[in-house]
Amino acid sequence: MLRQYVRQFRQGLVRKWPLEAREESESRRAPLSTFDLVILGVCRTLGAGVYVLIGVMTLLIAGPAIVISFLVVALSSVLSGLCYTEFWSYVPRSGSVYLYSVVAMGKLYAFLIGWSVLLYLLAAASCVTRAWSYAFDSLIGNHISQALERTFSPHMPSFLAPYPDFIALGLVLLMTGLLVLGARVTTLIIKVSTGLNLFVPIFMILSGFIKGDLHNWQLTEQDYRANTSGSSSTFSLGPLGSGGFVPFGFEGILQGAAILFTSYFGAHGMVTAGKEAPNPQRSIPLSMVISIFIGFLAYSGVSAALTLMVPYYEIYPYSPLPQAFLQVGWDPAGYVMAAVLLCTLLYSFLCAMVSMFQLTCAMAAEGLLFRGLAQIHTRTGTPIMAIVASGTLTGFTASLLGILDLVKLMSAGVLPAYTLVAVSVLVLRYQPDKNLSKEGKTEEGNEISDLEASPSEPVPEAGPLRILKSLWFPTSTTPTQISGQIVYGCASLLVLLLSILSLILSQWPSQVFSGDPVLTTVVVVVLLLIIGVTVIIWRQPQSPSPLLFRIPALPVLPPVSIFVNIYLMMQITSETWILFGIWMAIGSVIYLGYEIRHSLAGNNHQQPPAPTPQTLD
């Protein structure tokens, strides 16, 4: 009996849900051109929250070189976006990365990705709420923040914000109540918010041309001392660093890129609309690259204008754009910018909250979270428990954590998720064909297990010598169970080697490039092993199944994306990873408890619920 429970538990970790049949209405939509996809990608990329983050990043981490940070993020986002596109093509249905994972890779894999994305959405909603509070406070002269800081700052622990933000808490409670009552984000709100999001970078860039001064990219210690002695600002100056355009060095650029990784996160959401394009193989990657490039121009242009208008160490971290106009004497423009940010931040908060409770419902409906969270109220038509739980957790984090800590948590949630996506793409291309639709159900139930072999061919007996020979000379021109297992093992080893390489390059870069014999030897050996493992994967047969999109240069591009993501993860502080670890530990307890309970109950073959409405990535 115990052996049966263990077997059911093990199968439950890798089981998959079949994809529901596509509705007729989905295939009757008008085709989308590349231009339409670009517009959609730009609308999802440009977010008001980034304009608040620019202040903190410029003041404390990157300085004017934040422009380069945005470039690094753009390049890494293109790699992650291409991997995400192929991952979506295995399950060409509107939805989130969680839906694609649960169908293509299995429940455990999907839970890890879904739980990480939930952390991102929680941190994003909290961060935007806190940013809204700062923008509102700047309109009234920052009196609220100054009063709260004087009252609470001496009593707050160092790992929390200087003061509890009651404005952010009140906003979260108000909007949670509206969502519970069934409030909807109408098309008019979306159009107005999109227009305002376009207004911010255009107006800011033009202002930078008019009021900017190139000397602010060449600041020295003498300038810093002059500002310290003669400054009439109510805010203390930030650190000088080494001055110039890159005051905090290459490390500051990379750390800024790691934290700003979520800047172009919305561009990946337009992938789900790519199935409506006449030529997805061309339209999706082209539109994504163009969307990310436009986002880079907007964000880097705003950053350049801000640092040209105001010395980077004088930037107000929490409401940088309105305060910049006040510092250069354009008071009316500062108030207009603050009002615009209030509107766009409110829309961004609603999008994050809606995405969070929809993903919560999807996971709860499948039993990965408490099933009560998926219940829909008959009168309002909303999942009240999911909304209340999301709002409560958001209000708690928004009122107690600082905005920089929230931004780091956002990146900590997204980077591991997209690393897993890149690993998924690397593995799935070399697996035996499996039917992911509902017609592929087994006679025993609705789940598809990874333990099943390809139905098209018998599974040969796999001895050690046969497996070693298959590393370089595969026995078939199509994927088999043996070749699939080889790729699984090689992909796992590749992630380990790339993690070791990223750790060495991030912790001891100067020693490596200066020729330290030990570290240099280790790096060379690791690189050779990475090349060898990649060649073994390349030798394995790929699945001939047609996909709407296939990433080029497989198996090289996914490992490059994995390396970039892991290297950026190494730039995030250990305190953030401790919080991430606590979050994942809580999720692991919930998931393992669910699996153990269902294994003991022998309830592994229940009908999965229909996918929930599309969640915004």
Side-chain angles (χ1 to χ4, degrees), residues 59-360:
L59 178 70
L60 302 176
I61 295 178
I66 189 176
V67 176
I68 305 178
S69 297
F70 276 116
L71 177 61
V72 174
V73 176
L75 296 176
S76 62
S77 294
V78 170
L79 294 176
S80 297
L82 293 176
C83 293
Y84 180 63
T85 304
E86 178 165 332
F87 192 47
W88 158 82
S89 66
Y90 285 95
V91 191
R93 169 74 65 82
S94 296
S96 67
V97 65
Y98 168 76
L99 172 64
Y100 309 145
S101 302
V102 79
V103 174
M105 294 296 292
K107 299 288 291 261
L108 175 60
Y109 206 88
F111 180 83
L112 294 176
I113 289 182
W115 194 246
S116 297
V117 174
L118 268 181
L119 176 63
Y120 159 76
L121 293 172
L122 170 65
S126 303
C127 181
V128 170
T129 307
R130 190 112 191 175
W132 192 95
S133 173
Y134 290 137
F136 175 79
D137 191 37
S138 68
L139 279 175
I140 58 176
N142 301 289
H143 297 300
I144 297 177
S145 60
Q146 293 173 11
L148 290 174
E149 189 167 3
R150 284 194 303 266
T151 304
F152 291 98
S153 182
H155 312 289
M156 296 294 289
S158 59
F159 58 87
L160 296 179
Y163 60 88
D165 196 332
F166 296 112
I167 298 179
L169 178 61
L171 177 65
V172 171
L173 295 178
L174 175 62
M175 300 311 299
T176 300
L178 293 177
L179 290 173
V180 166
L181 296 176
R184 297 287 186 271
V185 180
T186 65
T187 304
L188 178 61
I189 295 177
I190 295 175
K191 291 181 179 179
V192 171
S193 299
T194 301
L196 293 177
N197 274 332
L198 293 174
F199 165 81
V200 172
I202 293 174
F203 183 69
M204 191 68 194
I205 292 172
L206 292 177
S207 302
F209 276 112
I210 298 173
K211 298 294 292 184
D213 184 359
L214 281 176
H215 179 69
N216 288 331
W217 283 2
Q218 304 166 355
L219 298 170
T220 63
E221 186 176 353
Q222 289 74 16
D223 298 312
Y224 186 78
R225 290 178 177 176
N227 278 286
T228 304
S229 59
S231 176
S232 59
S233 173
T234 57
F235 311 111
S236 60
L237 297 181
L240 171 68
S242 60
F245 182 75
V246 191
F248 304 107
F250 187 65
E251 181 181 353
I253 294 175
L254 291 178
Q255 188 176 358
I259 298 175
L260 292 169
F261 184 81
T262 57
S263 304
Y264 309 100
F265 190 47
H268 303 163
M270 51 80 62
V271 171
T272 58
K275 64 180 182 297
E276 307 298 337
N279 185 10
Q281 185 80 13
R282 177 181 179 274
S283 298
I284 291 178
L286 181 60
S287 58
M288 178 180 295
V289 171
I290 295 175
S291 300
I292 292 177
F293 178 71
I294 294 175
F296 163 70
L297 292 180
Y299 293 146
S300 60
V302 170
S303 303
L306 177 64
T307 52
L308 287 172
M309 291 171 63
V310 181
Y312 65 90
Y313 47 71
E314 289 187 15
I315 292 175
Y316 181 57
Y318 304 126
S319 185
L321 305 190
Q323 290 295 330
F325 286 107
L326 297 180
Q327 287 174 266
V328 299
W330 285 17
D331 292 11
Y335 293 120
V336 170
M337 184 64 70
V340 169
L341 287 176
L342 285 177
C343 297
T344 53
L345 287 171
L346 191 61
Y347 170 69
S348 299
F349 169 73
L350 285 174
C351 290
M353 280 293 295
V354 170
S355 299
M356 181 161 48
F357 76 71
Q358 285 183 345
L359 180 55
T360 301

Side-chain angles (χ1 to χ4, degrees), residues 360-521:
T360 301
C361 284
M363 298 178 70
E366 292 166 2
L368 302 185
L369 296 176
F370 305 107
R371 287 194 179 274
L373 296 173
Q375 294 179 355
I376 306 296
H377 194 273
T378 54
R379 178 177 298 179
T380 61
T382 56
I384 293 180
M385 295 303 297
I387 296 175
V388 171
S390 302
T392 302
L393 200 55
T394 300
F396 178 76
T397 54
S399 60
L400 294 181
L401 293 182
I403 194 167
L404 184 57
D405 296 326
L406 293 171
V407 176
K408 292 177 181 178
L409 277 178
M410 290 169 60
S411 296
V414 169
L415 283 168
Y418 274 94
T419 302
L420 290 176
V421 168
V423 175
S424 303
V425 170
L426 185 62
V427 168
L428 285 173
R429 185 79 78 85
Y430 296 92
Q431 298 306 307
D433 290 340
K434 289 187 177 70
N435 192 346
L436 299 179
S437 65
K438 224 177 174 184
E439 289 75 9
K441 294 186 291 186
T442 64
E443 294 180 0
E444 297 179 358
N446 295 323
E447 298 160 3
I448 303 175
S449 173
D450 271 344
L451 302 178
E452 299 174 10
S454 174
S456 60
E457 57 178 302
V459 180
E461 186 176 346
L465 294 178
R466 185 182 184 88
I467 292 177
L468 288 176
K469 184 179 180 181
S470 299
L471 295 179
W472 191 258
F473 300 104
T475 58
S476 174
T477 57
T478 58
T480 63
Q481 188 179 32
I482 293 178
S483 66
Q485 290 174 348
I486 290 174
V487 173
Y488 263 116
C490 288
S492 302
L493 180 59
L494 198 58
V495 172
L496 176 62
L497 294 172
L498 291 172
S499 300
I500 295 173
L501 180 62
S502 300
L503 178 63
I504 295 175
L505 292 180
S506 62
Q507 296 298 320
W508 303 284
S510 57
Q511 292 91 324
V512 172
F513 293 109
S514 63
D516 181 271
V518 176
L519 290 176
T520 303
T521 302

